[in-house]
Amino acid sequence: MLLRYLFILLIIIPIKALALIEVDITRGNLNPLPVAVSPLSIDNKSKENFKKILKKEDLGSEISIIVENNLRQSGLFNPLNKNAFLQEPDVANLKPRFEDWNLIKAQALITGKVTLVDEKLRVEFRLWDILAGKEMMALAFTTVPSNWRRVGHIITDKVYERLTGEKGYFDTRIIYVSEEGPKTKRIKKLAIMDQDGFNNKYLTLGNELVLTPRFSPANQMVTYLSYFRNLPRVYLLDIETGMQEVVGDFPGMTFAPRFSPDGKKIIMSFAKDGNSDIYTMDLENRIVERITNHPSIDTSPSFSPNGKRITFNSDRSGYQQIYVMDSNGKNVKRISFGNGLYGTPVWSPRGDLIAFTKLHKGKFYIGVMRTDGTGERLLTENFYQEAPSWSPNGRVLIFYRETKTNSKGEGFSAKLWSIDLTGYNEKMVETETDASDPSWSSLLSN
Amino acid sequence: MNLSKILKNGFLIVLASLVLTACATKKTSTTGQMQGDVYTGTDSVEYLASGVPDRVFFATNETVLTTASRETLRKQAAWLRKNSDINVVLEGHADERGTREYNLALGERRANSAKDYLMTYGISSDRISVLSYGKERPVDSGSSPLAWSKNRRSVTVKAN
Amino acid sequence: MNRNIFISFGLHIFLVIITAMSLPFLAKKPIDLPPIISVELIQITDKTNIPFAPKAKKIIEKVKEKEKKLVSEQAPPKKIKKQKPDAIPLPDEKIEKIKKIKDEKQNPEKVETEIKQVSEFEKKELFDTNNIAALIDKSKTESAETKKKLDKVTQDQDKEMNFGGLTLSEEDALKAQIFGCWSIPLGLPFNQDLLVRIKLQLKPDGSIIKTEILDHARMNRPGQGFYKVLAESALRAIKLCQPLRVPSTGYERWKDMQLNFDAREMLEG
């Protein structure tokens, strides 16, 4: 008996000379966190009023469904089945019985309350840590009733940030090109929708070809390419007023427009006599500046989030590759060196990565690389896909895919897809029609 | 080795090689539709006038004119000289196997190659304008190298 | 054009003749097989006397830690299902395999045997066999109770095993348990310092008296917001895993313990 004790000591002591045992936990699971989203409690009077105003039976439940879907779609959370919930929403919001929620394996709980106060929608919600048995977060805000969907998105953003450490991306919109018709004569319209597919709206009628829209960081302006009167030019569109205007007075095709991070400039390509170069135009004083001056094709420019550098696509080395330069056009450096063609570089809002499209041996890839070109990672492969756009927190990429057609030229479709930066959670983004050229807005609530 | 053995071997080898040849893939060059990567057929071609094809074709990612293209453009130039009141738009296109924005630039460059060549034959640049459609207006919606080759084109269109 | 065809034809015939003359044909020559040597697959064991299959799971964790490849255990009473050591299955496929096996079996112990075989031929996987614990956790209350029972069984074995001298597995037993409980927040930046150290005070049965996050000040430092999230996830893991799988003896030795949670390995992958 004593001998065994000695044996134990002999093993333990050489390993840990100190009295305190330290155990290294270097692995865990990457499963979605089980959370319970309780329907927001709502008093009968408010319920009736909201039913009248918004035509929704139970607004508290509707808002919680938005939160639930958002969390599930992110791939990081597993919202549990409401039928298993033991506590009523109004009781849970005051003080949840943690054992009840623990029983269904929830690790976090969201509760809240919705009321109509002075014709405004008032929401308060709480986030609870079930295992620690305490409240993690409590917030309240007021808005107009018609914004009720945004309430669900804002709650999700707050919860997401609190539980992952990352800013959310749910209170955002996506602008894209809606497509219909035969491949040889596609009808294209600008469309905008909430990030979860609701509130879809068309911004143009489909009379002229429209391509590659982009949001302004200020969020109510959009820039895109239009073939109005058969003259392909970059335009500005005010979403709220519907006003459109051409950008600058260029004697040739302008295309591939983006906004600068401060929203004050448009950067784009201008094609003349077979050469495409990158230009900027200041939206206030209308001054045009030439950024690249090279006989190659320079296009698809994208600013770094601090506005000091630009990444772009150029074939100056003979084939499409990715370059970075200072925002004044100096210090041009190539950063893509793998096998294949590279295009559509987009700088992450976090500033750390550049996403791109790659074509190699007949296959298209969406990938990311560091801003110096190292660490190239391909996230997904397909017959045809391109044009990734970042979510505002730099975690999710949205892009589009097209399908092959059969020998008769039938079966064509284009759809939006999204994928997490880690390569997980690849899924299609539902749209009413076929869709392409997606672009993600920044957070609306900023 | 005796003769019968040689003959037997020979027979089997011929049989084996015949099997191989039977499985050979159809080469497009045999039907004369493509040369290398460039479409040489007449499927989608229209005519500005008798004997004047309206378009020229390009290899993947290329904007240089082939010999056949130059021949076509010479015919176009001759016709334009004869009809000096006609102006044209050169519409440049690309296939779908590339990124959208780059393809817009590629289409523009292809149309410009054609324009420059027409100008060397005395056609004034006032009469020629250039318009790129990138990959937006394919003439063949198929997903095959042949379909793609038909889409890599610069088309001369009457403007008035 | 015709001349070329004739030349090509002639050369082809020439080739056929050459080949025909020198082709070593499929004659009735007897095939020389090397003599058949019978080889016994010897099971190399690290430890002897492992009476219960569930323990094997823990040993496998330890063995995997040490990155040994072909070490398998004797699990005397159970039938071992042979699995081919072909290409390393992708994490997704593996989960499906394991899920299927789990669905078929009723007896939790049996499940662990199957897992053992699968893990034999893998070096490193993103989704650990520890995930089984998490998968089992996800189902309803009944299976939660079953798990409790299972744990109790192994606790008993723990006592027995200590007499057998398996002290190194104590640390690995605890690690394995916490691996299964720690849900690593995917949102953490994978290029930062992701280490959080938590000091614990434990009761003899493995339940927690007190937790203390070392470097607490970092939780509220600007730009280190993720540290708070990381620390909270570690605390949740500890709470979820109560009672911790602690040794049944030597309470004085382990009543104060420090767990170093480092998410880097999992996220960098």
Side-chain angles (χ1 to χ4, degrees), chain C residues 192-207:
Chain C
Q192 297 258 17
D193 173 13
L194 296 175
L195 173 66
V196 56
R197 294 167 304 162
I198 300 185
K199 249 197 187 142
L200 303 174
Q201 260 180 43
L202 299 164
K203 281 206 213 131
D205 67 348
S207 57

Side-chain angles (χ1 to χ4, degrees), chain C residues 82-129:
Chain C
K82 280 273 186 267
Q83 285 190 329
K84 279 200 302 202
D86 50 7
I88 297 169
L90 293 169
D92 287 344
E93 293 166 27
K94 180 154 169 297
I95 283 295
E96 257 133 47
K97 258 194 275 174
I98 295 170
K99 267 199 170 116
K100 254 188 274 173
I101 297 164
K102 172 184 163 283
D103 287 342
E104 287 161 30
K105 312 290 180 223
Q106 300 300 334
N107 184 351
E109 285 183 11
K110 198 100 195 273
V111 175
E112 309 231 22
T113 316
E114 304 301 344
I115 299 158
K116 165 184 98 64
Q117 280 301 332
V118 173
S119 66
E120 235 179 286
F121 303 109
E122 270 135 33
K123 228 179 157 289
K124 214 202 255 202
E125 57 266 1
L126 186 61
F127 285 97
D128 240 333
T129 54

Side-chain angles (χ1 to χ4, degrees), chain A residues 4 8 20-29 76 105 107 131 136 162-166 395 424, chain C residues 125-126 131 163 167 175 179-180 182-184 186-187 229 232 236 239-240 256 258-260 262 266:
Chain A
R4 289 202 184 89
I8 291 167
L20 186 67
I21 291 179
E22 281 188 38
V23 178
D24 293 323
I25 311 292
T26 51
R27 310 183 85 178
N29 62 68
L76 303 183
K105 300 292 174 206
Q107 293 190 25
L131 291 166
M136 283 175 96
R162 187 67 183 78
L163 290 174
T164 67
E166 288 249 19
R395 265 218 76 85
Y424 289 105
Chain C
E125 57 266 1
L126 186 61
N131 252 2
F163 289 155
T167 49
K175 275 191 187 176
F179 287 179
W182 190 24
S183 267
I184 300 182
L186 272 176
V229 170
E232 283 171 349
R236 272 200 295 273
K239 294 234 167 67
L240 197 62
D256 290 301
Q258 182 173 307
L259 298 178
N260 302 328
D262 193 341
M266 291 292 290

Side-chain angles (χ1 to χ4, degrees), chain A residues 231-381:
Chain A
L231 291 171
R233 294 289 188 280
V234 167
Y235 283 77
L236 268 184
L237 164 68
D238 188 318
I239 301 176
E240 261 141 56
T241 65
M243 296 264 294
Q244 300 178 38
E245 62 166 297
V246 95
V247 172
D249 191 16
F250 289 83
M253 175 170 83
T254 47
F255 58 107
R258 285 78 161 122
F259 280 92
S260 60
D262 60 9
K264 298 205 176 126
K265 290 195 181 147
I266 300 263
I267 189 168
M268 63 200 136
S269 284
F270 167 48
K272 183 104 177 81
D273 299 332
N275 181 28
S276 295
D277 276 318
I278 294 172
Y279 289 71
T280 59
M281 188 180 97
D282 189 302
L283 290 174
E284 261 161 59
N285 54 33
R286 306 272 139 173
I287 293 180
V288 172
E289 222 185 290
R290 182 175 192 158
I291 309 293
T292 66
N293 193 343
H294 196 281
S296 63
I297 290 175
D298 297 327
T299 186
S300 301
S302 170
F303 272 100
S304 63
N306 66 5
K308 297 209 173 107
R309 310 245 302 236
I310 296 171
T311 178
F312 66 103
N313 193 203
S314 173
D315 64 0
R316 54 185 67 189
S317 68
Y319 291 101
Q320 278 179 277
Q321 298 291 341
I322 299 175
Y323 292 75
V324 293
M325 61 183 173
D326 296 342
S327 55
N328 59 6
K330 297 199 163 71
N331 294 323
V332 176
K333 225 173 20 152
R334 176 172 159 183
I335 62 168
S336 63
F337 289 99
N339 293 323
L341 306 174
Y342 293 78
T344 76
V346 262
W347 213 302
S348 159
R350 293 210 285 206
D352 55 350
L353 296 171
I354 291 176
F356 56 86
T357 305
K358 176 167 167 167
L359 172 57
H360 181 48
K361 291 206 174 135
K363 296 209 193 73
F364 281 81
Y365 301 83
I366 304 287
V368 294
M369 62 172 67
R370 291 197 212 100
T371 57
D372 59 2
T374 59
E376 177 179 321
R377 252 186 331 127
L378 300 177
L379 302 178
T380 170
E381 173 201 311

